[in-house]
Amino acid sequence: MDKVNMTSLVTVMAAVEKMGFTSQFEVNAYGLYSFKSEQTFNPEEIKIEHFYRFEGESNPDDSAILYAIVTDSGEKGTLVDGYGTQADAATGAFIKRVQDINK
């Protein structure tokens, strides 16, 4: 994917969706929850295929990070988190435990 043209979260989300990352994930008290399959995954059950950081040009509160994730079951989706001061502590702690990150 040409990252030069990936200037906004909405643009990148549309691009990764075309790559098959159609599920939406969130981190809860039990792990990474899929809204599509209603399954919960542990850090060792996922791989982060891609990640993209966005920094708000006019407002630092607009900073975000998008993770494109593949689970051991083959489900592909995205997880969005704030970045910097807007980051969710639980999401950050979960991501730190993921060993399989494609850099």
Side-chain angles (χ1 to χ4, degrees):
M1 183 181 324
D2 184 10
K3 291 187 180 184
V4 173
N5 294 325
M6 300 296 152
T7 57
S8 75
L9 180 59
V10 172
T11 302
V12 175
M13 285 189 80
V16 296
E17 187 171 305
K18 287 181 183 176
M19 294 167 51
F21 294 87
T22 56
S23 295
Q24 300 296 313
F25 296 111
E26 79 170 3
V27 173
N28 63 27
Y30 306 102
L32 184 73
Y33 177 76
S34 166
F35 289 101
K36 188 174 191 176
S37 68
E38 298 183 344
Q39 289 182 291
T40 301
F41 301 93
N42 294 315
E44 62 274 4
E45 296 175 311
I46 70 165
K47 177 180 182 179
I48 298 175
E49 285 284 326
H50 310 281
F51 60 93
Y52 307 88
R53 271 197 319 220
F54 304 92
E55 296 180 17
E57 292 179 21
S58 60
N59 185 349
D61 290 342
D62 293 338
S63 298
I65 188 163
L66 169 72
Y67 299 98
I69 296 171
V70 179
T71 69
D72 281 355
S73 66
E75 186 173 359
K76 295 169 74 174
T78 57
L79 171 68
V80 178
D81 189 20
Y83 187 73
T85 60
Q86 298 301 310
D88 176 68
T91 299
F94 181 89
I95 294 297
K96 284 181 184 176
R97 294 180 17 228
V98 175
Q99 295 296 312
D100 201 350
I101 300 177
N102 189 13
K103 296 183 179 184

